[in-house]
Amino acid sequence: MTEPPDPRPAARQWAGMLGALDDDDPVRPTPCTDDTVGDLVDHVDKGCRGLVTVAGAPLIGPDDTAEPAAAHVRGDPRQDLAHYAVALAAAWSDPRARTGSSPVAPGVDLPNAIRGRIAPAELDVHGCDLARANGRPFALPDDVLRDSLDRLLAFVPTAPVAGLGSEPVAVPPGTPLLDRVVAAAGRRT
């Protein structure tokens, strides 16, 4: 089996974009159906925390909060969220994280080797979602994007739980690689 994609480039961009959010950004719409920037940030925050824990790495930072998603991107919590994105990248870079399996829903386990390949694609897609919602650039190395595209095209149609992926969107030949990755995750480009 080949090594999983490197999640660090997307994690660094994600962290940088979080730091650039202002107080008006949480209510902006995103390419995700019905989700605001605040919802997206909350989703990625929870996903990062959960995936860091699944990888067996310690969560260093504040406990989960019951605050609404939009409140998560105001003030200092942005730095905590950025920390978790970078922590996810570090945790899944350790080959030991990709052993065993863990639950994704009651009674449904997913091999951690698959999680280790999908987690970077999640950061790639949601990083692009956040950038597009806020009119910011987002670029990743082609090898990272190719791997994310391959992983999404293989995983989404066979996801073990409904809702772990959206139906891929068809794109014409010649579509840029980042747009193909986003389309594979069910987003219109």
Side-chain angles (χ1 to χ4, degrees), residues 27-99:
V27 296
R28 289 183 190 272
T30 69
C32 308
T33 306
D34 299 325
D35 286 344
T36 65
V37 166
D39 297 332
L40 176 63
V41 168
D42 190 51
H43 168 74
V44 172
D45 174 44
K46 288 178 181 174
C48 286
R49 291 174 194 223
L51 286 167
V52 167
T53 302
V54 166
L59 262 185
I60 300 170
D63 293 331
D64 279 327
T65 176
E67 291 182 52
H72 281 262
V73 296
R74 293 200 167 119
D76 291 339
R78 287 180 288 202
Q79 294 307 313
D80 295 329
L81 301 181
H83 166 79
Y84 291 127
V86 173
L88 176 143
W92 286 95
S93 295
D94 183 342
R96 293 174 294 180
R98 299 185 297 274
T99 61

Side-chain angles (χ1 to χ4, degrees), residues 10 13-14 17 30-32 40 121-140 145 178-183 187-189:
Q13 284 200 51
W14 181 257
M17 286 187 293
T30 69
C32 308
L40 176 63
E122 281 281 300
L123 284 178
D124 297 348
V125 169
H126 290 317
C128 185
D129 291 338
L130 182 61
R132 288 180 175 176
N134 291 294
R136 293 186 172 89
F138 188 78
L140 294 169
L145 291 174
L178 179 59
D179 290 339
R180 292 193 326 235
V181 170
V182 170
R187 311 285 194 284
R188 300 213 179 275
T189 58

